[in-house]
Amino acid sequence: MPKPPVEVTDVIRAAGESFFECSQKWFTWLHLKALNAILRCRTAALGGHVDACSKCGHTAISYNSCRNRHCPKCQANARDRWLEARGKELLPIRYVHVVFTLPRQLSPLALQNKREIYALLFRASAETLLQIARDPKRLGAEIGFFSVLHTWNQKLQHHPHVHCVVPAGGLSPDHSRWIDSQQNFFLPVDVLKTVFRGKFVDGLKTLHAEHKIAFHGTLAALQNPKAFAAWLRPLFRSDWVVYAKRPFGGAQHALRYLGQYTHRVAISNHRLVALADGMVTFRWRDSAHKNKKRLMTLPVNEFLRRFLLHVLPPGFVRIRHFGLMAHRRRGASLPLCLQLLAESGRAPAKTGSEEKAAPSPRPLWTCPQCGGPMVLIERLNPRELRLRAPPVFVAQHA
C-alpha cells in the first residue's frame, strides 16, 4: 500500500506549541504519552533492526515501531497476530454482529470517567446478550462471544459503542447438544434495547452510590443523589441504539470481517487527504446517506482535540471475551462445542492429517525484491543507527 500523503505525525508537528498552550485545561500525561509515541514511531529515536530475505539475501534496515495502541502505524501487525490466534478458536458456523451504543447524553460523563463507564458498557452489553440468549422463549442456549470497544464516529466525535461478534447458536443448558439460531434471526433487537438500557442505568446508579464516578465542571451538581436521579430519568424516554446484522458466513468469513474492527484507531493515516494553512482534510463515510464518502476540513487543533478524545486509560482492555469464550472457560468449552457440532453434522470433524496440513502463518514482512519472508539478523539501538546514518553536510559560511 502506498504511503499516504499526510500522516497524523505531520498534523502533530504542524500544531506545534500553540496546541499545548490552548489545551492546558484538559491535556494530561496520557495525551502527551500518545503524541510522543506517534512522533517517535519508526524513527531512529526508537532504534531499529536489520532484516534479510531468506530467499535472495536482500537486506534492509528498518526503524522500530512504538507499539502504542493509539498509533495509526502500529496496528496492522498486532491485528494479524490477534486474528491468527483467534482463527484457531472460531467455530465452523455462521456468526452475528451486534452493536451496543451509548446515548449522546452520556458522552460528557463517559469522558470524565472513561474506565468506569466503558467497563460498564462492556458488562451491560455482555450480560444482555447472555441473559436473552439463555431465555427458553428466545434461543434457550448458553453462548460465547467477544466484544471490541470503539469510542469514535467517522467525524472523530465521541461515540462509545461495542461491537460483539457472536456465533449464531450455543450449548443447551445441560451441555448435551448444540442449538442453532434461526437462519435469518438471532435475538430480538427490541428486547436487547430494553434490557441493555435497564442494566446500564442500574449500573450507573450503583457506581454513583458507591462514589466510583467523578463529576467535574458542568456535571458537578450531579454529585447530589436527587439531581443524579433526575438526570437519569430522561434516559428511559428514548430507545437506545442496538444494531444486529443477520447471521453471516462461516469461520473464514468471520475472520476477514473481524479484521475491520479489532485493532482500529480513531482515524487511519490513509483517511487523511491534505494538510495546509493550519487545516486538516480527511475522508469520512456518511452512514445517513448510503455510506457516501465525503470530505471534512478541521483546524489542526480541533482535529487533535478530537483524536485525543479516544485515548484510553492505561491498562484498559478493549477486546474482551464472555460466556463460553471467556478465558477461564474457553479451554473446556471450545472442544465440547466442536464435538457437538461434528456429532450433529453441522461441522466435519478434523482429522490429524488435516490439522497437520493447516497453512503456516503469513510472514509479517516480505522481501521487496522477490517476495520471500524477511528474517531478523541484527538489532540496532538509537546510537548505532546514528553512526550508520549518512553524514550531514553543513554549508560553511566564509
Side-chain angles (χ1 to χ4, degrees), residues 309-341:
L309 288 175
H310 312 294
V311 172
L312 295 175
F316 188 87
V317 180
R318 61 183 296 265
I319 304 178
R320 304 189 183 190
H321 298 75
F322 299 96
L324 298 175
M325 302 303 169
H327 292 296
R328 288 177 294 178
R329 302 184 58 189
R330 192 183 307 164
S333 61
L334 274 176
L336 177 60
C337 291
L338 290 169
Q339 176 189 335
L340 294 175
L341 284 167

Side-chain angles (χ1 to χ4, degrees), residues 201-234:
V201 173
D202 282 347
L204 279 179
K205 292 177 180 177
T206 301
L207 288 173
H208 188 277
E210 296 175 352
H211 306 287
K212 290 183 177 179
I213 47 180
F215 302 95
H216 305 286
T218 57
L219 300 181
L222 298 182
Q223 291 178 354
N224 182 284
K226 290 184 178 180
F228 186 71
W231 182 77
L232 288 179
R233 220 166 284 133

Side-chain angles (χ1 to χ4, degrees), residues 39-282:
L39 283 173
R40 291 158 58 90
C41 187
R42 298 185 188 177
T43 68
L46 296 180
H49 48 92
V50 182
D51 299 281
C53 176
S54 57
K55 288 186 177 181
C56 71
H58 170 76
T59 60
I61 295 178
S62 302
Y63 295 134
N64 291 333
S65 301
C66 67
R67 297 189 180 183
N68 188 290
R69 59 178 167 177
H70 305 102
C71 176
K73 291 182 180 179
C74 288
Q75 306 312 307
N77 287 346
R79 179 197 62 212
D80 291 345
R81 288 192 295 268
W82 189 88
L83 290 177
E84 182 186 336
R86 298 291 78 75
K88 301 171 185 176
E89 301 167 355
L90 290 174
L91 299 174
I93 58 173
R94 297 169 300 125
Y95 276 74
V96 183
H97 180 197
V98 186
V99 184
F100 294 85
T101 304
L102 289 187
R104 190 178 305 168
Q105 302 94 302
L106 290 172
S107 182
L109 182 65
L111 285 172
Q112 293 186 13
N113 300 273
K114 289 183 177 181
R115 187 180 298 276
E116 292 76 16
I117 301 301
Y118 295 163
L120 177 58
L121 174 56
F122 270 120
R123 287 198 307 274
S125 58
E127 289 172 4
T128 297
L129 283 173
L130 293 169
Q131 177 181 320
I132 303 304
R134 278 195 300 263
D135 188 345
K137 297 178 183 178
R138 313 300 177 188
L139 184 62
E142 188 176 354
I143 62 172
F145 55 94
F146 74 86
S147 302
V148 184
L149 173 70
H150 287 181
T151 63
W152 56 84
N153 62 13
Q154 284 282 304
K155 296 180 181 179
L156 283 183
Q157 294 165 325
H158 192 237
H159 181 68
H161 56 284
V162 290
H163 296 266
C164 307
V165 180
V166 194
L171 294 178
S172 61
D174 61 358
H175 288 196
S176 63
R177 61 191 178 91
W178 179 267
I179 299 175
D180 264 331
S181 71
Q182 296 180 28
Q183 188 66 27
N184 294 318
F185 178 78
F186 181 55
L187 295 173
V189 171
D190 288 341
V191 177
L192 291 174
K193 290 179 182 179
T194 304
V195 175
F196 171 56
R197 180 180 62 188
K199 287 185 178 294
F200 193 91
V201 173
D202 282 347
L204 279 179
K205 292 177 180 177
T206 301
L207 288 173
H208 188 277
E210 296 175 352
H211 306 287
K212 290 183 177 179
I213 47 180
F215 302 95
H216 305 286
T218 57
L219 300 181
L222 298 182
Q223 291 178 354
N224 182 284
K226 290 184 178 180
F228 186 71
W231 182 77
L232 288 179
R233 220 166 284 133
L235 294 175
F236 283 100
R237 297 173 188 160
S238 59
D239 282 340
W240 288 32
V241 178
V242 176
Y243 167 80
K245 271 194 167 186
R246 291 188 302 173
F248 63 86
Q252 292 307 312
H253 185 177
L255 197 61
R256 291 192 297 270
Y257 190 81
L258 301 184
Q260 305 175 52
Y261 295 97
T262 53
H263 288 74
R264 273 188 180 176
V265 294
I267 190 169
S268 68
N269 285 327
H270 290 276
R271 282 179 55 196
L272 301 183
V273 176
L275 172 62
D277 301 322
M279 306 294 284
V280 186
T281 302
F282 61 93

